[in-house]
PDB file of all heavy atoms in Angstrom:
ATOM      1  N   ASN N  33       7.954   6.974  -4.208  1.00  0.00           N
ATOM      2  CA  ASN N  33       8.154   7.658  -5.493  1.00  0.00           C
ATOM      3  C   ASN N  33       9.518   8.310  -5.531  1.00  0.00           C
ATOM      4  O   ASN N  33       9.887   9.025  -4.589  1.00  0.00           O
ATOM      5  CB  ASN N  33       7.089   8.745  -5.683  1.00  0.00           C
ATOM      6  CG  ASN N  33       5.702   8.146  -5.773  1.00  0.00           C
ATOM      7  OD1 ASN N  33       5.469   7.221  -6.540  1.00  0.00           O
ATOM      8  ND2 ASN N  33       4.801   8.639  -4.945  1.00  0.00           N
ATOM      9  N   GLN N  41      13.295  25.638  -2.090  1.00  0.00           N
ATOM     10  CA  GLN N  41      12.391  25.242  -0.998  1.00  0.00           C
ATOM     11  C   GLN N  41      12.993  25.649   0.346  1.00  0.00           C
ATOM     12  O   GLN N  41      13.135  24.839   1.260  1.00  0.00           O
ATOM     13  CB  GLN N  41      12.089  23.750  -1.074  1.00  0.00           C
ATOM     14  CG  GLN N  41      11.271  23.404  -2.324  1.00  0.00           C
ATOM     15  CD  GLN N  41      10.524  22.098  -2.236  1.00  0.00           C
ATOM     16  OE1 GLN N  41      10.997  21.138  -1.630  1.00  0.00           O
ATOM     17  NE2 GLN N  41       9.330  22.046  -2.837  1.00  0.00           N
ATOM     18  N   PHE N  55       2.960  25.478  -5.777  1.00  0.00           N
ATOM     19  CA  PHE N  55       2.683  24.364  -4.856  1.00  0.00           C
ATOM     20  C   PHE N  55       1.898  23.252  -5.536  1.00  0.00           C
ATOM     21  O   PHE N  55       1.950  22.102  -5.122  1.00  0.00           O
ATOM     22  CB  PHE N  55       1.920  24.860  -3.628  1.00  0.00           C
ATOM     23  CG  PHE N  55       2.818  25.167  -2.463  1.00  0.00           C
ATOM     24  CD1 PHE N  55       3.108  26.470  -2.106  1.00  0.00           C
ATOM     25  CD2 PHE N  55       3.394  24.140  -1.720  1.00  0.00           C
ATOM     26  CE1 PHE N  55       3.939  26.746  -1.035  1.00  0.00           C
ATOM     27  CE2 PHE N  55       4.234  24.410  -0.647  1.00  0.00           C
ATOM     28  CZ  PHE N  55       4.512  25.719  -0.305  1.00  0.00           C
ATOM     29  N   GLU N  57       2.334  22.260  -8.587  1.00  0.00           N
ATOM     30  CA  GLU N  57       3.123  21.507  -9.575  1.00  0.00           C
ATOM     31  C   GLU N  57       3.356  20.097  -9.051  1.00  0.00           C
ATOM     32  O   GLU N  57       3.522  19.898  -7.847  1.00  0.00           O
ATOM     33  CB  GLU N  57       4.473  22.205  -9.813  1.00  0.00           C
ATOM     34  CG  GLU N  57       4.347  23.418 -10.707  1.00  0.00           C
ATOM     35  CD  GLU N  57       5.581  24.324 -10.654  1.00  0.00           C
ATOM     36  OE1 GLU N  57       6.643  23.878 -10.173  1.00  0.00           O
ATOM     37  OE2 GLU N  57       5.446  25.487 -11.089  1.00  0.00           O
ATOM     38  N   PRO N  58       3.373  19.106  -9.958  1.00  0.00           N
ATOM     39  CA  PRO N  58       3.508  17.719  -9.506  1.00  0.00           C
ATOM     40  C   PRO N  58       4.744  17.529  -8.622  1.00  0.00           C
ATOM     41  O   PRO N  58       5.837  17.942  -8.987  1.00  0.00           O
ATOM     42  CB  PRO N  58       3.656  16.935 -10.818  1.00  0.00           C
ATOM     43  CG  PRO N  58       3.085  17.822 -11.871  1.00  0.00           C
ATOM     44  CD  PRO N  58       3.273  19.228 -11.407  1.00  0.00           C
ATOM     45  N   GLY N  59       4.525  16.966  -7.461  1.00  0.00           N
ATOM     46  CA  GLY N  59       5.643  16.636  -6.576  1.00  0.00           C
ATOM     47  C   GLY N  59       6.156  17.788  -5.729  1.00  0.00           C
ATOM     48  O   GLY N  59       6.966  17.581  -4.824  1.00  0.00           O
ATOM     49  N   TYR N  60       5.712  19.022  -5.980  1.00  0.00           N
ATOM     50  CA  TYR N  60       6.289  20.165  -5.249  1.00  0.00           C
ATOM     51  C   TYR N  60       5.995  20.082  -3.750  1.00  0.00           C
ATOM     52  O   TYR N  60       6.904  20.140  -2.912  1.00  0.00           O
ATOM     53  CB  TYR N  60       5.767  21.492  -5.807  1.00  0.00           C
ATOM     54  CG  TYR N  60       6.556  22.671  -5.291  1.00  0.00           C
ATOM     55  CD1 TYR N  60       7.637  23.177  -5.995  1.00  0.00           C
ATOM     56  CD2 TYR N  60       6.240  23.252  -4.058  1.00  0.00           C
ATOM     57  CE1 TYR N  60       8.390  24.228  -5.505  1.00  0.00           C
ATOM     58  CE2 TYR N  60       6.990  24.306  -3.553  1.00  0.00           C
ATOM     59  CZ  TYR N  60       8.059  24.790  -4.287  1.00  0.00           C
ATOM     60  OH  TYR N  60       8.806  25.826  -3.779  1.00  0.00           O
ATOM     61  N   LEU N  61       4.694  19.934  -3.426  1.00  0.00           N
ATOM     62  CA  LEU N  61       4.307  19.845  -2.014  1.00  0.00           C
ATOM     63  C   LEU N  61       4.898  18.579  -1.399  1.00  0.00           C
ATOM     64  O   LEU N  61       5.414  18.595  -0.281  1.00  0.00           O
ATOM     65  CB  LEU N  61       2.777  19.841  -1.898  1.00  0.00           C
ATOM     66  CG  LEU N  61       2.223  19.639  -0.487  1.00  0.00           C
ATOM     67  CD1 LEU N  61       2.585  20.823   0.410  1.00  0.00           C
ATOM     68  CD2 LEU N  61       0.700  19.476  -0.516  1.00  0.00           C
ATOM     69  N   GLU N  62       4.813  17.482  -2.157  1.00  0.00           N
ATOM     70  CA  GLU N  62       5.328  16.199  -1.648  1.00  0.00           C
ATOM     71  C   GLU N  62       6.816  16.311  -1.302  1.00  0.00           C
ATOM     72  O   GLU N  62       7.262  15.839  -0.253  1.00  0.00           O
ATOM     73  CB  GLU N  62       5.122  15.085  -2.684  1.00  0.00           C
ATOM     74  CG  GLU N  62       3.666  14.649  -2.869  1.00  0.00           C
ATOM     75  CD  GLU N  62       2.877  15.532  -3.844  1.00  0.00           C
ATOM     76  OE1 GLU N  62       3.360  16.630  -4.202  1.00  0.00           O
ATOM     77  OE2 GLU N  62       1.780  15.113  -4.249  1.00  0.00           O
ATOM     78  N   ASN N  63       7.594  16.937  -2.189  1.00  0.00           N
ATOM     79  CA  ASN N  63       9.027  17.096  -1.919  1.00  0.00           C
ATOM     80  C   ASN N  63       9.254  17.855  -0.609  1.00  0.00           C
ATOM     81  O   ASN N  63      10.093  17.481   0.208  1.00  0.00           O
ATOM     82  CB  ASN N  63       9.687  17.900  -3.049  1.00  0.00           C
ATOM     83  CG  ASN N  63      10.425  17.013  -4.017  1.00  0.00           C
ATOM     84  OD1 ASN N  63       9.995  15.890  -4.267  1.00  0.00           O
ATOM     85  ND2 ASN N  63      11.512  17.519  -4.583  1.00  0.00           N
ATOM     86  N   PHE N  64       8.488  18.925  -0.430  1.00  0.00           N
ATOM     87  CA  PHE N  64       8.717  19.750   0.752  1.00  0.00           C
ATOM     88  C   PHE N  64       8.272  19.026   2.019  1.00  0.00           C
ATOM     89  O   PHE N  64       8.971  19.063   3.042  1.00  0.00           O
ATOM     90  CB  PHE N  64       8.028  21.110   0.623  1.00  0.00           C
ATOM     91  CG  PHE N  64       8.405  22.047   1.742  1.00  0.00           C
ATOM     92  CD1 PHE N  64       9.722  22.463   1.906  1.00  0.00           C
ATOM     93  CD2 PHE N  64       7.456  22.490   2.662  1.00  0.00           C
ATOM     94  CE1 PHE N  64      10.086  23.309   2.956  1.00  0.00           C
ATOM     95  CE2 PHE N  64       7.811  23.329   3.710  1.00  0.00           C
ATOM     96  CZ  PHE N  64       9.131  23.743   3.858  1.00  0.00           C
ATOM     97  N   VAL N  65       7.139  18.362   1.944  1.00  0.00           N
ATOM     98  CA  VAL N  65       6.648  17.650   3.133  1.00  0.00           C
ATOM     99  C   VAL N  65       7.626  16.523   3.510  1.00  0.00           C
ATOM    100  O   VAL N  65       7.970  16.342   4.682  1.00  0.00           O
ATOM    101  CB  VAL N  65       5.221  17.114   2.896  1.00  0.00           C
ATOM    102  CG1 VAL N  65       4.778  16.196   4.029  1.00  0.00           C
ATOM    103  CG2 VAL N  65       4.243  18.288   2.768  1.00  0.00           C
ATOM    104  N   GLN N  66       8.090  15.799   2.497  1.00  0.00           N
ATOM    105  CA  GLN N  66       9.074  14.743   2.787  1.00  0.00           C
ATOM    106  C   GLN N  66      10.340  15.355   3.409  1.00  0.00           C
ATOM    107  O   GLN N  66      10.951  14.772   4.307  1.00  0.00           O
ATOM    108  CB  GLN N  66       9.430  13.981   1.500  1.00  0.00           C
ATOM    109  CG  GLN N  66      10.305  12.752   1.741  1.00  0.00           C
ATOM    110  CD  GLN N  66       9.580  11.667   2.543  1.00  0.00           C
ATOM    111  OE1 GLN N  66       8.490  11.241   2.177  1.00  0.00           O
ATOM    112  NE2 GLN N  66      10.196  11.228   3.644  1.00  0.00           N
ATOM    113  N   SER N  67      10.688  16.550   2.950  1.00  0.00           N
ATOM    114  CA  SER N  67      11.883  17.230   3.486  1.00  0.00           C
ATOM    115  C   SER N  67      11.649  17.654   4.940  1.00  0.00           C
ATOM    116  O   SER N  67      12.589  17.650   5.740  1.00  0.00           O
ATOM    117  CB  SER N  67      12.224  18.463   2.643  1.00  0.00           C
ATOM    118  OG  SER N  67      12.413  18.079   1.302  1.00  0.00           O
ATOM    119  N   ILE N  68      10.395  18.013   5.260  1.00  0.00           N
ATOM    120  CA  ILE N  68      10.097  18.301   6.677  1.00  0.00           C
ATOM    121  C   ILE N  68      10.323  17.025   7.478  1.00  0.00           C
ATOM    122  O   ILE N  68      11.051  17.008   8.485  1.00  0.00           O
ATOM    123  CB  ILE N  68       8.645  18.792   6.870  1.00  0.00           C
ATOM    124  CG1 ILE N  68       8.410  20.124   6.165  1.00  0.00           C
ATOM    125  CG2 ILE N  68       8.324  18.925   8.364  1.00  0.00           C
ATOM    126  CD1 ILE N  68       6.969  20.641   6.257  1.00  0.00           C
ATOM    127  N   ILE N  96      -3.017  15.121   0.989  1.00  0.00           N
ATOM    128  CA  ILE N  96      -1.667  14.676   0.587  1.00  0.00           C
ATOM    129  C   ILE N  96      -0.808  14.469   1.834  1.00  0.00           C
ATOM    130  O   ILE N  96      -0.094  13.466   1.977  1.00  0.00           O
ATOM    131  CB  ILE N  96      -1.025  15.717  -0.369  1.00  0.00           C
ATOM    132  CG1 ILE N  96      -1.736  15.698  -1.723  1.00  0.00           C
ATOM    133  CG2 ILE N  96       0.476  15.471  -0.532  1.00  0.00           C
ATOM    134  CD1 ILE N  96      -1.341  16.836  -2.672  1.00  0.00           C
ATOM    135  N   MET N 100       0.968  11.135   3.443  1.00  0.00           N
ATOM    136  CA  MET N 100       2.429  11.074   3.617  1.00  0.00           C
ATOM    137  C   MET N 100       2.809  10.816   5.071  1.00  0.00           C
ATOM    138  O   MET N 100       3.817  10.155   5.346  1.00  0.00           O
ATOM    139  CB  MET N 100       3.068  12.375   3.111  1.00  0.00           C
ATOM    140  CG  MET N 100       3.000  12.483   1.584  1.00  0.00           C
ATOM    141  SD  MET N 100       3.877  13.926   0.939  1.00  0.00           S
ATOM    142  CE  MET N 100       5.585  13.508   1.351  1.00  0.00           C
ATOM    143  N   VAL N 177      16.666  15.443  -1.178  1.00  0.00           N
ATOM    144  CA  VAL N 177      15.582  14.461  -1.220  1.00  0.00           C
ATOM    145  C   VAL N 177      15.632  13.641  -2.524  1.00  0.00           C
ATOM    146  O   VAL N 177      15.861  14.187  -3.604  1.00  0.00           O
ATOM    147  CB  VAL N 177      14.211  15.169  -1.010  1.00  0.00           C
ATOM    148  CG1 VAL N 177      13.881  16.106  -2.166  1.00  0.00           C
ATOM    149  CG2 VAL N 177      13.093  14.178  -0.773  1.00  0.00           C
ATOM    150  N   GLU N 179      13.424  10.591  -2.702  1.00  0.00           N
ATOM    151  CA  GLU N 179      12.164   9.858  -2.826  1.00  0.00           C
ATOM    152  C   GLU N 179      11.179  10.381  -1.789  1.00  0.00           C
ATOM    153  O   GLU N 179      11.563  10.992  -0.793  1.00  0.00           O
ATOM    154  CB  GLU N 179      12.387   8.361  -2.585  1.00  0.00           C
ATOM    155  CG  GLU N 179      12.951   8.070  -1.218  1.00  0.00           C
ATOM    156  CD  GLU N 179      13.145   6.574  -0.957  1.00  0.00           C
ATOM    157  OE1 GLU N 179      13.591   5.870  -1.880  1.00  0.00           O
ATOM    158  OE2 GLU N 179      12.852   6.147   0.173  1.00  0.00           O
ATOM    159  N   TYR N 180       9.898  10.196  -2.061  1.00  0.00           N
ATOM    160  CA  TYR N 180       8.905  10.509  -1.033  1.00  0.00           C
ATOM    161  C   TYR N 180       7.927   9.351  -0.898  1.00  0.00           C
ATOM    162  O   TYR N 180       7.687   8.617  -1.864  1.00  0.00           O
ATOM    163  CB  TYR N 180       8.198  11.843  -1.305  1.00  0.00           C
ATOM    164  CG  TYR N 180       7.304  11.895  -2.510  1.00  0.00           C
ATOM    165  CD1 TYR N 180       5.980  11.446  -2.449  1.00  0.00           C
ATOM    166  CD2 TYR N 180       7.763  12.401  -3.724  1.00  0.00           C
ATOM    167  CE1 TYR N 180       5.158  11.497  -3.553  1.00  0.00           C
ATOM    168  CE2 TYR N 180       6.947  12.460  -4.842  1.00  0.00           C
ATOM    169  CZ  TYR N 180       5.640  11.998  -4.748  1.00  0.00           C
ATOM    170  OH  TYR N 180       4.828  12.037  -5.853  1.00  0.00           O
ATOM    171  N   ARG N 181       7.395   9.217   0.291  1.00  0.00           N
ATOM    172  CA  ARG N 181       6.496   8.112   0.598  1.00  0.00           C
ATOM    173  C   ARG N 181       5.073   8.599   0.715  1.00  0.00           C
ATOM    174  O   ARG N 181       4.803   9.594   1.384  1.00  0.00           O
ATOM    175  CB  ARG N 181       6.891   7.468   1.933  1.00  0.00           C
ATOM    176  CG  ARG N 181       8.170   6.735   1.834  1.00  0.00           C
ATOM    177  CD  ARG N 181       8.658   6.235   3.164  1.00  0.00           C
ATOM    178  NE  ARG N 181       9.812   5.401   2.860  1.00  0.00           N
ATOM    179  CZ  ARG N 181       9.869   4.096   3.064  1.00  0.00           C
ATOM    180  NH1 ARG N 181       8.870   3.475   3.659  1.00  0.00           N
ATOM    181  NH2 ARG N 181      10.928   3.406   2.718  1.00  0.00           N
ATOM    182  N   THR N 182       4.168   7.868   0.097  1.00  0.00           N
ATOM    183  CA  THR N 182       2.762   8.201   0.224  1.00  0.00           C
ATOM    184  C   THR N 182       1.938   6.915   0.116  1.00  0.00           C
ATOM    185  O   THR N 182       2.499   5.816   0.058  1.00  0.00           O
ATOM    186  CB  THR N 182       2.344   9.260  -0.833  1.00  0.00           C
ATOM    187  OG1 THR N 182       1.007   9.659  -0.566  1.00  0.00           O
ATOM    188  CG2 THR N 182       2.465   8.727  -2.253  1.00  0.00           C
TER     189      THR N 182
END
Side-chain angles (χ1 to χ4, degrees):
N33 296 310
Q41 293 201 325
F55 265 105
E57 283 165 16
Y60 192 93
L61 175 66
E62 289 84 347
N63 259 34
F64 188 63
V65 171
Q66 188 66 54
S67 303
I68 296 177
I96 290 171
M100 289 185 66
V177 66
E179 60 179 41
Y180 67 84
R181 290 173 173 245
T182 187

